[in-house]
Structures are given as C-alpha cells and as structure tokens.
Amino acid sequence: MHTKTDLRELSYAEAIREAMDIAMAQDERVILMGEDIGVYGGAFGVTGDLIEKYGMDRVMDTPISELGGAGVAVGAAMTGLRPIFEFQFSDFATLGMEQIVNQAAKIRYMLGGAVSVPVVMRFPSGSGTGAAAQHSQSLEAWTAHVPGLKVVQPATPADAKGLLLAALEDPDPVMIYEHKILYKMKGHVPEGHYTTPIGKAAVMREGKDLTIVATAIMVHKALDAAETLATEGIDAEVIDLRTIRPMDRDTVLASVRKTGRLVCVYEAVKTLGVGAEVSAMVAESDAFDYLDAPIIRLGGAECPIPYNPELEKAVVPQVPDILEAARNLAKGRI
Amino acid sequence: MHTKTDLRELSYAEAIREAMDIAMAQDERVILMGEDIGVYGGAFGVTGDLIEKYGMDRVMDTPISELGGAGVAVGAAMTGLRPIFEFQFSDFATLGMEQIVNQAAKIRYMLGGAVSVPVVMRFPSGSGTGAAAQHSQSLEAWTAHVPGLKVVQPATPADAKGLLLAALEDPDPVMIYEHKILYKMKGHVPEGHYTTPIGKAAVMREGKDLTIVATAIMVHKALDAAETLATEGIDAEVIDLRTIRPMDRDTVLASVRKTGRLVCVYEAVKTLGVGAEVSAMVAESDAFDYLDAPIIRLGGAECPIPYNPELEKAVVPQVPDILEAARNLAKGRI
Amino acid sequence: MGRTFSVRDTVTPNNTPYAIARYSADELKEALKKMYLIRKFEEGAEDSYMRGLIHGTMHLSIGQEASAVGSCMSLSDEDKITSTHRGHGHCVAKGADLSRMFAEFFGKESGYCKGRGGSMHIADPSKGNLGANGIVGGGLPIAVGAALSAKRLGTGAVTVCFFGDGANNEGAFHEALNMAKVWNLPVVFVCENNKYGMSTSTERSTAVKNIADRAVAYAMPGVTVDGNDFSAVAEAVDAAVERARKGEGPSLVENVTYRWRGHSKSDRNRYRTKEEIAEWQSRDPIAAMAKLLTDHKIASEDEIAGIEADATRIIEEAIAFATEGANPKIEEVTRDVYTQEIAS
Amino acid sequence: MGRTFSVRDTVTPNNTPYAIARYSADELKEALKKMYLIRKFEEGAEDSYMRGLIHGTMHLSIGQEASAVGSCMSLSDEDKITSTHRGHGHCVAKGADLSRMFAEFFGKESGYCKGRGGSMHIADPSKGNLGANGIVGGGLPIAVGAALSAKRLGTGAVTVCFFGDGANNEGAFHEALNMAKVWNLPVVFVCENNKYGMSTSTERSTAVKNIADRAVAYAMPGVTVDGNDFSAVAEAVDAAVERARKGEGPSLVENVTYRWRGHSKSDRNRYRTKEEIAEWQSRDPIAAMAKLLTDHKIASEDEIAGIEADATRIIEEAIAFATEGANPKIEEVTRDVYTQEIAS
Ligand SMILES: Cc1ncc(C[n+]2csc(CCOP(=O)(O)OP(=O)(O)O)c2C)c(N)n1
Ligand SMILES: Cc1ncc(C[n+]2csc(CCOP(=O)(O)OP(=O)(O)O)c2C)c(N)n1
Ligand SMILES: [Mg+2]
Ligand SMILES: [Mg+2]
C-alpha cells in the first residue's frame, strides 16, 4: 500500500476475511462455500479460522466439483441464502462457466424479473506464484463480457472489504477477482461495516499530464511508476478501475479529457483484456477529441504463464514497462 | 451472399460438410465428434449424411458430455487423430472451457513444445432463431483472449470451407465460430481442396470514406449498408475480419490509414467483444494519427438474448444502425 | 422395473394401486385434469407453431404426462422443482396458470417471463417452480442449492429435480448427486428416461442399463418405475419425498417413459421406428389414468369427459389471453438484466 | 479390500505373491529402483525448495511409490499414461530421465518442458507420458482420447489414467468413465486414494465408501487394493491392462495409499492426526517391497543397499545437471505457444 498512516492496517486477505465475518455475524443467510475453506482455511488462507466461529454448516468445504459447487451456490441464492463461493484458483472457474454465465447471469432476465440471484463468487487470480500456466490466469474479461453479472477487481485491502460487503448487499451476482499476490499486502482498513460502491473507479493519484488506468496489482505498479515519473516532471493521474462491469465511464473520460493521454495497464493477456474495453470506450467517446496521442495498452504477453520465475515476470507488465510507455506518451507534452 | 455468379453455389452448411468430407476422404485420422451428428445429421444439419459414408466410428455421436467430449478430442489430437469436435450450440461450450483453455491452448507450451494439439472445434453461435438466452450467445471473444488457440469466424460459404480445411492442416487448436443464421446462406464455393489462410482478413468491398470492420453475419449487414451508403455518396470499405486470433493488424490498419474513419460491427455483447480489440488495436497504432473521428462500435446490447422476436432483433446491430453510424461518421468528410 | 423403496409407510391393502389408496377422489381428478392440460397445452402449442404464430423451437412432452404429474403429487407450493427444456408438463403439474404459460409462449409481456424467456424458460417461483432450463443438466446443481437453502433455513421444503436420460451423462449430474448425499439434503432426483437424448439412445450414450443403477455410486436409494403409470410414479416419488422430508437425504427415481413427438421441431425421427412410437402410443398415460379412475369408481366416464372438456376450455381461454396480450416494449428490452437498472 | 478381478490369466501357485510369479528378478529390482528414485527425487526436491532454489509449490507423493510403479509394470513405451499434480512418481515409473525432471523443477531450458511447465506439468511423450496436469480431473477425458486414438489407429496401446480420490468428484470423472465404456476403449482408470483431496477426507467429499464402487455406474470392473502393496497393485492393474489390450474395455482400479507429506508446501496438516501419519509411515511401501524381494530371495540385503545407493547417485547427478543447466532465454518466452511462430 502506498498510503502509510498510523491507522489500523490489515492485509488484503484479512480484510476479505473481516468482511465475511461481519456479514456472517449480521446475517444468518450468508454462507461460505468452496474447496478447503474449512479447517485448511483456504488455499490462500483467506477464510482462515472462520470455521471455528461459524461451524461446518456455514463454512462448507465442497467436494472438488466446481461446476456443481457454483450451481449449488446459484440455487441457494435463488431460494434465500447469500452464498459466497470461492473458486480455489480462478483457473478452475473454467469448469463453472456454465453456471456463472448461462444461469447466474441470465436467470433473472430469462424469468422476466421474477427472481434475483444474489450470489457472490471469489476468484483468486493472477501470476507471480510460480504455479505455471494452469494456476496463474487472469480471466476477468470473460465475465466482464457477460450482462447480468457485476465484476469487481479490488486493488487495496480497504476496497477488498468494501466491495465484498457491497457485493453481499447487491441483489445480483457479483464476481470478485482477487489478485493472489495482493493477499499479503497491507493497508488501512476501516473498522466495522462499510461498502465500496460497485461501478465506481477511484482516482488514486491526481495528475495532469497523462492518465494511467490500471486494475488489481497493476494499480500499485502504476503508482510506483507515477512517483518516479513525478521526479522527471511527468505528472501522471492513476485510476484504479475497481469495477470492470459496469465500467465507470465518467471517471475515466473526465481524466482523459484533462490529460489527453491514456495508458491502460492490466495483467491479463493483452488481446481482449480489460484494457481493450477501456481503450475502445475512450476512442468512441467525446474524449477522443482530447486525445493527443495513441492510447497505449500494457497487457500480458500473448503466452500462457511460464514456470521459470524470470520468464514469469517477463510476460506481465512491470514498472519499467509503465515508465517507458508513460515517457513515450508524455513526449512533446511537457 | 452478395456476389451472384453462375459459379457453383453451396450453402454455408453444405460448404462445411464438403470440407469435412474432403478431409475425411483424404485422411483416415480425421474424425467427427459431437452430439447428434450421426443419423440426426447435427442439430443444424451440418454433418448431414456423412455417417452413411464414414460410419459410426468416424462420425461419433457423443453422450451429452461437453467437458468430457472436448477433452477426449484433445487427448485424441495429442495422440494421432485429427478430431473435429462440434458443440451443438456454442453456449454449451461454457461446459468445455476447462479443456479448451487449460488443456488444448496450453499443453504445447507447458510441455515445452514436446507435442502439438491439432484439434478443431466448431461452435454454432449467434441469435436469430428464437431460442432465447441460453442458445443464442456469441462468446468468441473468450477464446480469442487465449494464447495458444486460433479463432476464426467465417462469414461466407467459401471461407467456411477454406477455413475448416486450413484448420485441419494447422498443428494447433483452431476454434471455428459459425453463425447459425448463415448456415442456409448460399454462395460460390470452389470445388476440391483449398484453404483460406488463418490470420488474414478479407477486404470485401473497397472504399475510401470509412472503414467498416465486421465479423460473421455482420459482414453481410455491412455490405448491405455499404450499398445504400454508396447511393448517398459515402464510399465505405468493408472488411471481413475472418480470423479473430491472431488478428490481421495490417489489413485493418492499412484501411484506416486510407479512410481515417472506423466502425466495428459485431453481434456479441458490445463490452469486451471483438470490436473492443479492433478499436484498441487501431487506437494504439500509428493509424491513430490518421483518425478523423472517434472509433465507433456497434455491438450487441448489454442484455441476454430475449425470446420475443422483436426484442431479439433489437439487441443486435441491424442495417439501419450501421447506416446511422456510418452517416454520422462520414459527416464533414464528404 | 422391479425394485422399489424399502422405506414406505403407506400400505395398500388388497393390491389397491398406491394412488387410489393414498389420494382422495378430488386429488386424483385434479391430477387427471392436469394431465389433460399438459396434453392440450402442447397440442395447442404445436398447432400455433404450425400456423406460424410462434418462432423458435419447442420440446413437447406429450406421452410423458404421468411422470410430471405423478412426481408432484405430494408437493406443496413451498416445495421446489427444477425443470428442463421439456418442461411444460412440470410447470402445469406444479400449478402454473395456463394463460400466462401460453402468453409466454407467444412472447407477450403478460407471459410468465414477460416474453423474455419463451418455452424453454417458463418458471413460476411463486409456486415453487424455479424454472425450465435450456442447458441439459443445468438444473441439477441448482436443485441441490434449493435443497441446501431448505435445510439451512429450516423451511421443511423438498426439491424435486427433473432431468432427462441424456442429462445423466453430464458431469453436473455426478457432482450434484454426490453433494446432495454428502450433505444429506432434501432433494429427489427424478430422471425422465424417455429412451433418447435427442437422437441418441440410452444404449448408445449410457454405460448402464437403468439410470437408477447409478444411485449406488452416491449411496442413495434408486428405483426404476413405469413412468407412464401415474400410480407407480407417485408411489416412488412420494416415498422419496417423504424420506427427504424426514431428513433421510436424497433419492433417485427413474420414470421410464416416451415422447411421442420428435425431440424438437427439426426432428426427422430417423433414429427410431414407427413401430416403436406406435407401441408407446398404445400405452397412453392419460388413457391409463382415466381407466384407473373409472376402474376404481373414482370417476365415471362422463365425469372424465367433463374433465377433458374443462381442460379444453382452459386452453382455449389461455390461447385467447395470449393472443390478445401486448408485446413487450422494445425500449424496455434491457429491463430486468439487473434488479436495479444500471446506467451503461 | 477384498474384491479382485474375475478375469486373470496368471495363476500364482503356493500363495506366491503375484509379482514374484509374474516378473523376473531384474524387472522386480528395476521396480524397486524406481521406487527409490521417486522417493529420493522428491526428498531432493523438498530439500531444494527449503534451500530456496525453487519457487512455486510442489506436491510430493512420498509414501505412494508402490502405486505409481506397480501400475506401470506391464506398460511399454507405446502405452500412454496421464498423470496429475502429484505426478513425479508416475513420471519416473514411466521411464523419465531424472536429470531432465530435476532440470524442469529448476526451471531450466534443459528440463522436460524447457522450464515452461515446472513440477506440475512434467511430461515425456516419447515414453508415452502425456503429462502431469494441474487441473484436478483434467487428465481423465484426455486419457479417454488417447485410448480412442489407440483403438482407431489400431496401435494396441493401452492408456493408464492416474487420478486422485478428490478427482473422483469432478464431473470429468463421470463423463470420462461413461464414454470409455460406451465406446469400449482400452483405458485403465487408476484412482490413487490417499484419503484426502487436499484437506477434505473422502468421508466428507465422496458419497460412497470405496471409489471403486462407482465402477458399477459405468458397468465396468472395479477393484480396491492396498496401494502400498506393490504386488497387489501390479496384479490389479496388469489384469485391467490385459482386459483393455484384449478389447474388453475399461476398468477402474483404486489403490488405497497415503501421502506422508502435506498436500503442498502451504499445508499445516490440520485435518489429520500425527498418529494417522505415523501409522501409515509404518507401512512404507518401499520397505515392504524390499522385504518382498529379500523374502523371496530375489535380492539380498546388500543388493538392495546397492540399488538404493544407485538411486542416490542418480539423483545427485540429476541435481548437478539441473543446477548447471542454462535458464531459458527471456526473448524466447513466447516460443512454443504455437507450433509455427505467428507474428503478433
Ligand atoms: C449442455 C447442453 N448440451 C446439449 C444441449 C442440446 N440438447 C437439448 S435437449 C437435448 C437432449 C436431452 O436429452 P434428455 O436429457 O434425455 O431429455 P429429453 O429431451 O429426452 O427430454 C440436447 C442434446 C443442451 N440444451 N444443453
Ligand atoms: C479443477 C481443480 N480444482 C481444484 C484444484 C486444487 N487442488 C489441487 S490438488 C487438489 C486435491 C486433489 O485431491 P486428489 O485428487 O485426492 O489428489 P491428491 O492431491 O490427494 O493426490 C486440489 C483441490 C485443482 N488443481 N484443480
Ligand atoms: Mg431423453
Ligand atoms: Mg487424494
């Protein structure tokens, strides 16, 4: 985290756990489902000891059955419960897409509004753990392509908590992509119940020379880069997109109108990743007229995530990549 | 089809069938797998009577097991067969994403190049049949986001045949999105074996005032619109993208450099559909400097496909939408 | 089709069929009426389709009425069902209003899904019908979820999950039955085995002879019954519902039946013989039910004719209602994508 | 763990264990050596991890060596296997080169996957090993596909598909076994039941007691054996391989075993007791195999010590090879995404 204060700090994982704890204490209908979220505490320790407080009936270890598990969560959500379903790794959600996309996302519409499906799903995503191609993907663009779903990507502990609590209050299915590498990152997290609005981006740093729109872990890399750029006289505005469906058009466009330059940074494969939508959204808006330079995207390489740690780093954007892109973009501006 | 000649015409479905027939006659390793592709001839009649010619061993009805079926095709492709796997509707491929994305797309890379996975998968896609939200999706953007796959979307009978034959010669997994409404559309199809190159777009109509990049059925709507625009003095270039992974950057950029105006038309949900990538690709390229107007996207509404026929039409781009967009774009140009 | 549940309370003296012993005359006549309603709804639907009044496709369950109605006999409106693409029968059996069903079929705003869902998605949550499903096997995990809610919230509700023989080869079947048993949930899996998944016979798609044999793999009771015999269906499903209600967990019931029509409107019936179809038509579940009622003096021939006439009238009214109904407004097409409209 | 296959040719006179009757002394000593290699490979891997030489995670199969080696006894290089995240043992059993395995572990260009795959994806197609798989259940349909190829191309090859008890609850298991039987393919499903899928015991995840009981649902033979008893494993799997080879279709073999280590490096072993671990450690499959060979005078204690020393040396050499190997070049990171490089 970039804002060090003497306020209470929690890790991103702790913040998520606290949100679940608050929700479960308040509302009997909230249950947790997932693989090894009970005594094991979750593959990334996110559920931790919640089973001790709420018991096996509310912190349910599922069999290794992602499709069925997701579907049970959907059915439970239609009939009175508020399940939070954890995919152990977001990669395994490829097994559950049927229930997510054909059922959770569409049931309300197909049924003419007769029911809502208030299910929350959590997807630990991203690379950086040396777990190779089948355990490191960032597939949030898939669900962000699907009407009926809401999709968020918290970048800070405070938002991880606030967005999860907002998701639980939302009557519709909310998909939460959490970055595994952020789980241990600390930051200030307010006590008690609060929500971070779904659908609102956050301006993390104001600047006038160029706009960096980033998601998840890239928000922190962008902020790092912005500090360095500042020393070079380049004043970057950094926006944490936070919600990728529905996207916060207004915040992004306002920034681009101000700076005239845009770079989008995201870890997912570049082609058809979230930055493609940010770019296209700007390019078709009135903000187009304010653009002084091409819209740059920094996304993951067109490549599965490799195992070797140096290769693994090479396939996702790093701070030097952002610096280079920003410097090129700023040329002629300052 | 828009080019009427006295050459041999086949429907899009017949062209696909002919491609499969040619391949099966030439190569014993080619087999067909899918639900009800045998005596039933396929839900859309694409396989037709091939079972009579090649028997049940090569035209294999699978149980209703999309995940397993796709995985069997992957395993067979790794070990000497050349399977063509048909998802009965592309919507059901949501059940097979694990095998497509974690296995087919990544096995070669994860194994350091030790094997290839020459599997071909066919996805009947799109709306217009009154089959509602779970039978009408256009999810090609999902696989186009995944390195290791190649993804094509033929718009004409000739390309449907040529791209399928190219896919069978390709050592890597090729995903073919076929539009259901095109199955009955007729057009000239050359006899015998030929291939349409994967990775190459087709300029369907040359023009100088604006570029329309379209996919699948939208190519035909774009061509219709272009005829009308011509009568209004607007000279539209129409590009059929044909392959969406890898995208034909050169053809699109060359056109935009010439016309300075771009509209992308696709049926999939607008947000994060293929047009987002086309737009972003142009906006970050040197063609940006040639742009005289915002890049317009016409995509599907942010909505599942509804059942009622009027609603169903309303949620995907139609010729009048293209005309309106093109006219707005061309304003001031001509 | 021999095996039955070991656990069953109702004793049927003197070989009286279960249904006769268990249900009142009114209940039985109501059941017969529902069977007629299903038949006539679908005949009407087919006719509307032929006359070009409907687009899309439809999956008719004509010939399977005993399975739908028999399986819902002991369910209240609090109990849930999940249904399939071939779901009109389940919908009627669970108490749906025929007019709103037809209106949905016609894509009208007055339909159950406001014209957004159509034949394949008709639902009536107010009656416990969580909806038909266009995805084969899609309803199986959802049913388990509904049963989980019932158990956790202590509602006492049971969920009946309908699915076809074809669906039994989906991974979702396996995962759902396993979880239902592991968590001991109040759900009854009712497989309507009409011998084909589209064109593919169970012999060519399914490694076991009886689908109920798969219950062993989930350590739950499994039984195969004559799905055209209303009483046999009710007997098996009622026993399973009772087990579920008592907290004894899930069961699998296989109703062996047959669809008289093709799979959908595009079916050329190449995969089965005319003889096979004729043979099954000679075992009409509605005729059998009518005979059951007359044999046991529950209803006279006249009363039965009256029930049928009632059903005919209701369907006529339903078609009239549907025909008159307004189309949805195009500007409202994105309503109900989200519960609270979002700007986009 | 009583039931065995009814179909078996080899007769074992005087209660001689199957393996002793069936395999030559050289074959048996080679098998023991492979078991040592697995153990020492994994101990070396663990050690390298502790010393920070390796990133990522790993899944060790220490304690399960008899299952891996016993299951591959009657396979040739033409025969295929599919493996799991816990796949080092299968890899060694199928004849992999230890140096290239270690090099992969270290992420080197000289590794089996050129450093792209790591522990979870080691494969050696040249030996018929189609690869470990990071997706639980991911290999099951792939194995069926390999068996389909063998049948269609008439290669006579059999595929052995390894998977865990946890994987048996994936839909992929159900779909794969069903298709294998429907098409009568030469595949043997070998479930390594080590009692837990990560932290979740089979009691809490799986509705049946023995996973092999699920074979009934696919009308294929199913047998549960002591997976720490090399001979019992070889006996069951060989019989199944023979059935497959003869065209008699698929089988399911369940090797009951135990992993001594945690699930992966992040496991705190909260879900099982020290006593349970100790009890299983007292049933070391390698010690049992050594005893089998000495009891039956196949090898002396000295010879066994020599085999173990050989294995130790091979592992040391492998680590040296891996340590010296070059890292992949960063500019080549996108090589092998496609067979023919594409411009992008
Ligand atoms: C996941 C999925 N796969 C395939 C289909 C296409 N499809 C619709 S119904 C059907 C046959 C289903 O057979 P069965 O479950 O026996 O039900 P029946 O139609 O016989 O009532 C198929 C293949 C589908 N809708 N969903
Ligand atoms: C589809 C999928 N779900 C979950 C996981 C995470 N995971 C890896 S191994 C494992 C346990 C597997 O248990 P089992 O099949 O019994 O194999 P074992 O680890 O005991 O050898 C889990 C849950 C995964 N890799 N893939
Ligand atoms: Mg059927
Ligand atoms: Mg296990």
Side-chain angles (χ1 to χ4, degrees), chain D:
Chain D
M1 304 187 192
R3 291 154 306 122
T4 46
F5 287 101
S6 45
V7 179
R8 174 150 61 76
D9 287 333
T10 320
V11 182
T12 55
N14 317 324
N15 289 327
T16 309
Y18 165 84
I20 301 295
R22 169 73 175 75
Y23 290 105
S24 73
D26 280 355
E27 287 168 329
L28 291 168
K29 285 188 264 186
E30 179 63 20
L32 178 64
K33 182 172 158 191
K34 282 181 171 171
M35 290 169 75
Y36 276 123
L37 283 171
I38 297 170
R39 177 77 50 98
K40 286 171 197 295
F41 176 86
E42 295 201 328
E43 285 170 351
E46 199 170 26
D47 181 62
S48 311
Y49 184 87
M50 299 303 185
R51 287 166 44 218
L53 298 175
I54 283 176
H55 85 150
T57 188
M58 76 187 74
H59 306 91
L60 303 178
S61 66
I62 293 176
Q64 303 187 180
E65 296 87 349
S67 170
V69 178
S71 297
C72 292
M73 284 306 287
S74 59
L75 303 184
S76 77
D77 288 356
E78 299 312 306
D79 296 317
K80 311 292 184 213
I81 65 165
T82 59
S83 169
T84 69
H85 58 285
R86 202 174 300 289
H88 306 140
H90 313 139
C91 204
V92 173
K94 200 69 175 58
D97 176 76
L98 276 292
S99 295
R100 291 188 65 196
M101 280 180 70
F102 244 116
E104 187 54 37
F105 214 70
F106 279 32
K108 297 300 178 67
E109 186 72 28
S110 52
Y112 265 114
C113 310
K114 313 233 165 81
R116 271 71 170 172
S119 160
M120 237 180 324
H121 302 296
I122 304 182
D124 185 1
S126 73
K127 296 277 185 189
N129 176 359
L130 298 179
N133 206 309
I135 302 298
V136 168
L140 282 146
I142 294 176
V144 176
L148 178 67
S149 285
K151 182 166 178 178
R152 261 220 62 69
L153 301 171
T155 65
V158 169
T159 301
V160 167
C161 170
F162 289 102
F163 62 101
D165 49 286
N168 106 96
N169 296 316
E170 285 282 8
F173 164 88
H174 179 67
E175 297 184 4
L177 270 74
N178 184 59
M179 284 188 283
K181 176 64 183 183
V182 164
W183 296 325
N184 201 41
L185 298 178
V187 53
V188 180
F189 297 100
V190 174
C191 180
E192 300 190 295
N193 180 353
N194 59 10
K195 303 174 86 72
Y196 298 90
M198 209 156 154
S199 70
T200 311
S201 66
T202 51
E203 288 75 37
R204 294 204 301 120
S205 70
T206 306
V208 278
K209 196 166 169 314
N210 295 308
I211 287 157
D213 293 348
R214 290 192 161 163
V216 173
Y218 313 103
M220 65 174 75
V223 60
T224 304
V225 301
D226 178 350
N228 282 12
D229 177 344
F230 170 84
S231 182
V233 169
E235 181 171 12
V237 179
D238 284 2
V241 168
E242 202 179 306
R243 275 175 46 82
R245 199 107 51 210
K246 283 196 202 145
E248 293 169 16
S251 311
L252 172 58
V253 177
E254 176 183 9
N255 297 337
V256 177
T257 182
Y258 201 78
R259 62 168 157 73
W260 293 5
R261 297 294 191 270
H263 167 71
S264 69
K265 293 327 277 170
S266 65
D267 189 344
R268 292 170 299 168
N269 271 316
R270 282 207 185 174
Y271 50 87
R272 54 184 196 173
T273 62
K274 289 212 178 61
E275 293 67 37
E276 183 181 282
I277 300 173
E279 142 76 10
W280 278 91
Q281 284 180 332
S282 75
R283 298 176 47 202
D284 181 358
I286 300 191
M289 177 71 167
K291 185 164 183 308
L292 182 75
L293 299 204
T294 51
D295 281 359
H296 290 85
K297 313 263 181 288
I298 305 290
S300 67
E301 304 262 349
D302 274 3
E303 270 180 289
I304 294 204
I307 292 170
E308 180 170 5
D310 255 14
T312 303
R313 184 186 42 77
I314 292 172
I315 295 300
E316 282 164 5
E317 286 169 12
I319 293 179
F321 174 87
T323 309
E324 284 154 21
N327 274 307
K329 298 206 183 87
I330 286 178
E331 50 297 3
E332 290 179 3
V333 67
T334 59
R335 192 195 60 206
D336 295 327
V337 177
Y338 295 97
T339 306
Q340 289 132 12
E341 202 88 13
I342 53 173
S344 87

Side-chain angles (χ1 to χ4, degrees), chain C residues 13-282:
Chain C
N14 318 323
N15 290 327
T16 310
Y18 166 83
I20 301 296
R22 169 74 176 76
Y23 290 104
S24 71
D26 280 354
E27 287 168 328
L28 292 167
K29 285 188 263 184
E30 178 64 20
L32 177 64
K33 180 172 159 192
K34 282 182 172 171
M35 290 169 73
Y36 276 123
L37 283 171
I38 298 170
R39 176 76 51 97
K40 287 171 197 296
F41 175 86
E42 295 200 328
E43 286 170 351
E46 199 170 26
D47 180 64
S48 309
Y49 184 86
M50 300 300 185
R51 287 166 42 217
L53 299 176
I54 284 177
H55 84 149
T57 188
M58 75 188 76
H59 306 90
L60 303 179
S61 66
I62 293 175
Q64 305 187 177
E65 296 87 349
S67 171
V69 178
S71 297
C72 294
M73 284 307 287
S74 59
L75 303 184
S76 77
D77 289 356
E78 299 312 306
D79 296 316
K80 312 291 183 210
I81 65 166
T82 61
S83 168
T84 69
H85 58 286
R86 202 174 303 288
H88 307 141
H90 313 139
C91 204
V92 173
K94 200 68 174 61
D97 176 77
L98 277 291
S99 294
R100 291 190 64 197
M101 282 180 69
F102 244 116
E104 186 55 36
F105 213 70
F106 279 32
K108 299 297 177 71
E109 185 74 28
S110 51
Y112 265 114
C113 310
K114 313 233 164 80
R116 270 73 171 172
S119 160
M120 240 184 318
H121 301 296
I122 303 182
D124 185 0
S126 72
K127 295 277 186 189
N129 177 359
L130 299 179
N133 206 310
I135 303 297
V136 168
L140 281 147
I142 294 176
V144 176
L148 178 67
S149 286
K151 184 170 176 174
R152 259 219 63 67
L153 301 173
T155 65
V158 170
T159 301
V160 166
C161 169
F162 288 101
F163 62 102
D165 50 286
N168 106 97
N169 296 315
E170 286 283 7
F173 165 86
H174 179 66
E175 298 185 2
L177 270 72
N178 184 60
M179 284 188 283
K181 176 64 185 184
V182 163
W183 296 325
N184 200 43
L185 299 179
V187 51
V188 180
F189 298 100
V190 174
C191 180
E192 300 191 295
N193 180 353
N194 58 12
K195 304 173 86 70
Y196 298 90
M198 209 153 155
S199 69
T200 311
S201 66
T202 52
E203 288 75 37
R204 295 203 302 117
S205 70
T206 305
V208 279
K209 197 168 168 314
N210 294 309
I211 287 156
D213 293 348
R214 292 193 157 160
V216 173
Y218 314 102
M220 65 174 75
V223 61
T224 304
V225 302
D226 178 350
N228 282 12
D229 177 344
F230 170 83
S231 182
V233 169
E235 182 171 13
V237 179
D238 284 2
V241 168
E242 199 178 309
R243 275 177 47 79
R245 196 102 59 205
K246 281 194 201 144
E248 292 169 16
S251 311
L252 172 58
V253 177
E254 177 183 10
N255 297 337
V256 178
T257 181
Y258 200 79
R259 60 167 159 70
W260 292 7
R261 297 296 192 269
H263 166 72
S264 68
K265 292 327 276 168
S266 65
D267 188 343
R268 290 169 302 167
N269 271 316
R270 282 206 183 175
Y271 50 87
R272 54 183 196 174
T273 61
K274 289 215 178 61
E275 292 68 36
E276 183 182 282
I277 300 172
E279 142 76 12
W280 278 92
Q281 285 180 331
S282 74

